Amino acid sequence: MNPKILVFAGSTRTGAYSGKTADVAQKELALLGAEVTRISLGDYPLPIMDQDYEAEHGIPENAYRLCRLMIAHDGVLIATPEYNGSVPPLLKNAIDWVSRIRTDNGKKVKPFNGKIIALCGSSDGRWGGIRAVSHLRQILSHMQADLITPQCLVPDGANAFDEHGNFVEERMLRSMQTVCKTLTEHAWLLSAQSRGER
């Protein structure tokens, strides 16, 4: 059975470099035989995480929808932009809300615990979002996610893609291929273990 991989970007801006990076990842994962689900966080709007809001209204349904998607997939690939040297608020807010979920329909859930996750970064500058990726890695590690080591960083985002949405530089494609291959292999092993295979 092919692994199921969830892919999304940390920005919903039209033409966002993180969105284009996620698109490249989606194509490469599909070429490796993964069953890919590509979503936009814009389809799961959430209020700012606020425990007073949670106490009054409960956890929003869109947080549960994201949680269920994470649980239903063997692996996750997140492509993040870098805002002021760190993780964008849209992405952090989604992670914070999902992390609040402990049960769903009476069943205990831990959406991040042990989840195999790959990270990609993009930016206008020279470093390709490395600070955002580093901070995101720290956040998800705190939640006991299983983060793979390879990561794809896309600098100079305005010039990194051609008119078809592909990487201009071969080395960037090779970096993404390494990320996708590693994620797919780890996700396949996790899927096989959950089915009792070896």
Side-chain angles (χ1 to χ4, degrees):
M1 182 179 292
N2 295 336
K4 297 175 67 176
I5 308 293
L6 178 67
V7 176
F8 61 91
S11 173
T12 58
R13 177 180 65 84
T14 301
Y17 310 138
S18 59
K20 292 181 178 181
T21 301
D23 290 341
V24 174
Q26 178 182 0
K27 286 185 277 189
E28 292 302 319
L29 287 164
L31 288 172
L32 290 167
E35 184 180 332
V36 185
T37 303
R38 173 79 162 89
I39 65 168
S40 168
L41 291 180
D43 293 329
Y44 302 84
L46 291 164
I48 297 296
M49 170 60 208
D50 181 334
Q51 286 181 289
D52 288 338
Y53 178 98
E54 182 182 349
E56 182 176 353
H57 304 285
I59 296 173
E61 179 60 25
N62 279 335
Y64 280 102
R65 292 174 64 202
L66 286 170
C67 176
R68 290 165 193 152
L69 276 170
M70 291 196 64
I71 291 171
H73 288 78
D74 304 306
V76 179
L77 185 144
I78 304 172
T80 183
E82 184 171 282
Y83 288 12
N84 294 317
S86 192
V87 181
L90 174 71
L91 177 56
K92 181 62 164 60
N93 192 56
I95 290 170
D96 287 346
W97 268 121
V98 173
S99 75
R100 301 293 296 173
I101 299 173
R102 300 289 186 272
T103 61
D104 187 13
N105 293 321
K107 180 181 178 182
K108 289 185 178 181
V109 295
K110 294 181 179 180
F112 293 102
N113 195 314
K115 182 61 62 179
I116 297 170
I117 300 178
L119 301 179
C120 300
S122 59
S123 72
D124 274 323
R126 297 173 54 194
W127 307 111
I130 191 170
R131 292 169 296 185
V133 168
S134 178
H135 292 173
L136 184 55
R137 187 175 292 275
Q138 186 176 20
I139 291 164
L140 294 171
S141 293
H142 176 75
M143 297 177 189
Q144 306 300 310
D146 184 0
L147 291 127
I148 66 169
T149 300
Q151 55 192 30
C152 181
L153 303 175
V154 183
D156 190 19
N159 299 304
F161 305 89
D162 65 20
E163 65 272 21
H164 303 295
N166 301 311
F167 286 135
V168 171
E169 295 189 21
E170 180 67 24
R171 67 180 180 85
M172 204 69 63
L173 178 60
R174 290 197 300 270
S175 175
M176 179 63 81
Q177 288 171 336
T178 298
V179 169
C180 291
K181 184 174 185 291
T182 305
L183 176 61
T184 302
E185 288 173 349
H186 280 67
W188 185 88
L189 286 172
L190 181 67
S191 176
Q193 289 171 358
S194 68
R195 297 192 306 271
E197 300 175 6
R198 294 193 177 183

